[in-house]
Amino acid sequence: MFKFSIQDVRQINWKTEILAGLTVAMTMIPESLSFAILAGLSPLTGLYGAFLMGLVTSILGGRPGMVSGGAGATIVVLIALISSHGVEYLFATVALAGILQITVGAFKLGKFVRLIPQPVMFGFLNGLAIIIFMAQLEQFKVVENGVAHWMTGSMLYTMLGLTALTVAIVLIVPKITKAVPSSLIAILIVFAVVQFIGIDTKKVVDIASIAGDFPPFHIPAVPFNLETLQIIFPYALIMASVGLIESLLTLSMVDELTNSKGSSNKEAVAQGTANIVNGFFTGMGGCAMVAQTLVNINAGARTKLSAFIGAITILIIILVGAPFIELIPLAALVGVMMIVAITTFKWGFFKMLSKMPKSDIFVGILVAAITVVLHNLALAVLVGVIISALVFAWDSAVRIRARKSNDEYGNKVYEIYGPLFFGSVTHFMDKFEVDQDPERIIIDFRESRIVDMSAIDAVNKLTSRYASQQKTVVLRHLSEDSIKLLDNAKGVIEVNIQEDPTYKVMPEK
């Protein structure tokens, strides 16, 4: 809920938050309409999704300043379900996806977003910026006889001119005043120019009518049986994953932009609750919207109030404001979103090409490419994380070292440096000279640790090789977690552990 003390309320810049919310609503409407129509849904289903997602997450969410709505990233993965089983199965899937998202938050699994490396974040943002920009180009097309083709002649020049005017206003206004978001000023000025001069150009109404009533309560009309669950569960799992990945990445982005900290688990619960509400109030569901969040942050919003205002504004537009909003030129919204795309792109990535490791550069470019080509954010991030993890594992594997010496008793001592895990076991085994070693050897893990089952198996094989020649292996300076692993593996491996009362390894917190 909104948890404001009197001091918090006084610190809110009400004008900035309200104006930012109005701007967000203006930019969210055409996107929600476009994706709803793309998926074969009623335009109102898209607007209901934008309203409900924005409302619930603004109240329950864990990241002030972040905006959620009927995002294309989540609805795209459900198009096949809608075409084959209908809209009722969509509502059931959205609700089930919400339950899965709440489960992630309840078990505090949202923290795993921290495992996403910076190159993946760069690739995600750059790919998303390209998608946002390319999506605006679609507005320069018209549909005739069911076929879309590029604008030509005066229609094209008008669209280009109004878009350029919007971009110019967005860039110039902040140099004059920051009292009102430049995006909102640009939309209003271009709207006024078109209306007073009577310019014939593409408007919001050309996408769809947005007039309607309050979202109705509706239980999805699907059979409540195992067969239905088998149909919707795979889609719900994909939607929940895509939605959470995009939402938590957006949360991390806002953390970085505002130098503050959001709650990933709280946000996961909020996203899930919002999707459950969508499922029972005929909304198409969604997640955090990066472009609208950037519009919100750039407008100066820093609390949940702006997202709340944006959601309420969408509802008011649906109920009474449709005739006005439908007349807004799409060129104005296109110009605003193009600026968002340009500012979203991490241009500093090019400067870092000569300074970053080649593997990181490859990951960043690959994630951006997958995002742009496949429009599959979840797959792009997953591939990026896997490749980054494999690169790290390889680098850690080849760095394991062993320093050899003999102590005063004639024992051979191997001092191991670097973690012993599945990737480094081969290099670890190559360090030992079983045939040449004396009857007793000591493996010192002061600068190492046994990490996983592969490491335990390697130690077991090594001790067995020495035992076959009647030689003894002693493990020294094991960390507490390494000792615990070996204790749990008793019966599988038997080793001699030498306790050192003067040496302690600090356990991980």
Side-chain angles (χ1 to χ4, degrees), residues 262-498:
S263 171
S264 56
N265 294 312
K266 188 175 180 181
E267 186 60 38
V269 172
Q271 294 288 332
T273 304
N275 275 315
I276 291 175
V277 173
N278 264 274
F280 287 95
F281 282 87
T282 68
M284 72 178 187
C287 62
M289 305 183 75
V290 180
Q292 281 67 27
T293 297
L294 286 168
V295 168
N296 195 40
I297 296 299
N298 292 338
R302 293 295 182 271
T303 73
K304 297 179 181 180
L305 180 62
S306 58
F308 181 82
I309 294 296
I312 296 300
T313 300
I314 291 175
L315 177 62
I316 293 174
I317 289 171
I318 293 172
L319 299 177
V320 298
F324 172 77
I325 300 300
E326 288 174 353
L327 297 177
I328 292 179
L330 280 175
L333 302 176
V334 167
V336 169
M337 298 307 290
M338 282 185 170
I339 290 295
V340 168
I342 293 170
T343 55
T344 300
F345 196 90
K346 290 288 185 179
W347 299 99
F349 181 77
F350 295 112
K351 295 181 180 179
M352 291 186 282
L353 289 179
S354 59
K355 301 177 182 179
M356 294 172 62
K358 292 181 180 179
S359 59
D360 287 347
I361 296 172
F362 173 74
V363 168
I365 294 175
L366 180 63
V367 170
I370 294 175
T371 303
V372 171
V373 175
L374 300 180
H375 287 216
N376 192 327
L377 175 62
L379 177 62
V381 172
L382 179 62
V383 170
V385 170
I386 289 175
I387 293 178
S388 297
L390 291 175
V391 170
F392 173 78
W394 174 257
D395 289 342
S396 299
V398 299
R399 288 176 183 170
I400 193 166
R401 295 177 291 115
R403 186 163 64 184
K404 307 169 188 177
S405 61
N406 292 291
D407 63 14
E408 62 272 27
Y409 303 108
N411 300 320
K412 183 74 168 287
V413 179
Y414 288 87
E415 296 178 75
I416 307 300
Y417 295 84
L420 181 58
F421 67 111
F422 69 91
S424 61
V425 292
T426 301
H427 293 279
F428 170 77
M429 297 291 285
D430 291 340
K431 306 297 181 185
F432 295 89
E433 302 167 340
V434 179
D435 295 332
Q436 289 77 32
D437 284 343
E439 293 183 358
R440 179 182 170 89
I441 72 157
I442 298 173
I443 306 178
D444 193 325
F445 284 92
R446 184 191 297 268
E447 301 296 337
S448 179
R449 61 174 49 190
I450 296 174
V451 176
D452 58 13
M453 191 64 197
S454 296
I456 293 175
D457 183 63
V459 173
N460 186 38
K461 289 179 179 177
L462 184 65
T463 54
S464 297
R465 285 170 58 184
Y466 277 104
S468 66
Q469 299 188 22
Q470 288 74 49
K471 297 178 181 179
T472 303
V473 176
V474 176
L475 308 184
R476 178 193 290 172
H477 294 154
L478 285 168
S479 60
E480 290 184 15
D481 55 344
S482 298
I483 293 174
K484 185 176 180 180
L485 274 175
L486 292 172
D487 283 342
N488 291 338
K490 279 183 177 178
V492 177
I493 175 174
E494 297 295 337
V495 294
N496 297 313
I497 300 176
Q498 185 181 79

Side-chain angles (χ1 to χ4, degrees), residues 10-32:
R10 289 174 179 173
Q11 290 177 347
I12 293 176
N13 189 329
W14 290 86
K15 182 181 74 172
T16 297
E17 298 292 331
I18 291 173
L19 292 176
L22 294 174
T23 307
V24 164
M26 297 301 102
T27 60
M28 192 181 295
I29 287 173
E31 185 168 342
S32 299

Side-chain angles (χ1 to χ4, degrees), residues 222-273:
V222 298
F224 287 85
N225 54 34
L226 184 60
E227 182 181 353
T228 299
L229 182 62
Q230 290 174 338
I231 293 172
I232 68 175
F233 183 79
Y235 290 100
L237 183 61
I238 295 173
M239 177 186 172
S241 302
V242 171
L244 279 183
I245 288 174
E246 182 154 354
S247 298
L248 297 183
L249 283 178
T250 305
L251 182 146
S252 297
M253 179 190 72
V254 177
D255 285 352
E256 184 176 334
L257 292 173
T258 61
N259 195 27
S260 58
K261 185 69 174 176
S263 171
S264 56
N265 294 312
K266 188 175 180 181
E267 186 60 38
V269 172
Q271 294 288 332
T273 304

Side-chain angles (χ1 to χ4, degrees), residues 73-187:
T74 53
I75 196 62
V76 165
V77 302
L78 301 179
I79 290 178
L81 173 70
I82 297 168
S83 61
S84 60
H85 292 86
V87 68
E88 295 296 333
Y89 278 82
L90 164 72
F91 298 143
T93 302
V94 169
L96 179 57
I99 294 173
L100 296 176
Q101 290 175 328
I102 289 178
T103 302
V104 170
F107 284 94
K108 302 189 182 302
L109 301 178
K111 61 186 177 182
F112 287 106
V113 73
R114 302 172 192 165
L115 297 177
I116 298 177
Q118 194 63 33
V120 176
M121 283 292 294
F122 278 149
F124 155 71
L125 290 173
N126 290 345
L128 200 62
I130 295 172
I131 287 177
I132 293 172
F133 190 89
M134 292 175 63
Q136 306 318 306
L137 299 181
E138 291 298 313
Q139 302 304 334
F140 288 85
K141 293 181 178 180
V142 291
V143 179
E144 294 181 357
N145 299 323
V147 179
H149 58 83
W150 293 101
M151 294 178 177
T152 57
S154 60
M155 180 182 290
L156 174 61
Y157 299 140
T158 300
M159 189 76 173
L160 288 172
L162 293 174
T163 301
L165 175 61
T166 304
V167 171
I169 295 172
V170 173
L171 294 176
I172 293 172
V173 166
K175 299 178 181 179
I176 301 173
T177 179
K178 295 183 178 179
V180 180
S182 59
S183 300
L184 182 58
I185 292 176
I187 292 172

